Amino acid sequence: MPPELVFDAAFGELFIVRVAGNVISPEVMGTLQYAAVHLHTPLFVVLGHQGCGAVQAALAKKLKGARERSRIALLLDRILPGLRGLKAGARLDAAVAANVRWSLRQLRETPEGRARMKEGILKLVGAVYELKTGRVRFL
């Protein structure tokens, strides 16, 4: 579901970056930095979703040694550090929330993220969209 519909916003009111698994890559960081510096975006929401296939694939790689094609494997390698604390019987819902928290942590730990948050200019929030209910659960 488009974030505009989830948050009852008009098209153009939200600056949306979509990438499988909410991975934080240099390109994503550059896009977010652009939004912060040039558009003065005050709120960033990392929105995972119930049943995320990228997180499910990363969990399968972590717990079962599943293998993927090379570029998908690179994507999963960016998700796996956020799943470190999960136990062998971890459920996908817990992994999705852990991945959202991992993305937030990476954003918070950048020099710009630390500075803007200290200044009170930027707020980072994590959430999971529940496909079954249509609700957004903020972490």
Side-chain angles (χ1 to χ4, degrees), residues 17-40:
V17 179
R18 287 186 180 202
V19 60
N22 292 320
V23 297
I24 305 298
S25 67
E27 296 80 8
V28 169
M29 287 299 288
T31 301
L32 296 175
Q33 187 176 49
Y34 177 83
V37 172
H38 291 282
L39 303 176
H40 309 289

Side-chain angles (χ1 to χ4, degrees), residues 21-105:
N22 292 320
V23 297
I24 305 298
S25 67
E27 296 80 8
V28 169
M29 287 299 288
T31 301
L32 296 175
Q33 187 176 49
Y34 177 83
V37 172
H38 291 282
L39 303 176
H40 309 289
T41 303
L43 172 66
F44 288 81
V45 178
V46 176
L47 182 64
H49 67 86
Q50 192 175 49
C52 177
V55 174
Q56 185 173 16
L59 197 57
K61 182 175 182 176
K62 173 185 169 52
L63 300 178
K64 300 174 186 170
R67 297 177 54 117
E68 290 285 349
R69 294 175 187 230
S70 62
R71 290 191 182 100
I72 297 171
L74 291 172
L75 177 78
L76 303 182
D77 288 344
R78 292 198 177 268
I79 296 170
L80 285 170
L83 306 183
R84 278 192 192 122
L86 295 177
K87 300 197 168 125
R91 298 188 54 186
L92 181 56
D93 289 346
V96 168
N99 184 56
V100 168
R101 288 185 178 98
W102 168 238
S103 296
L104 288 171
R105 179 177 169 195

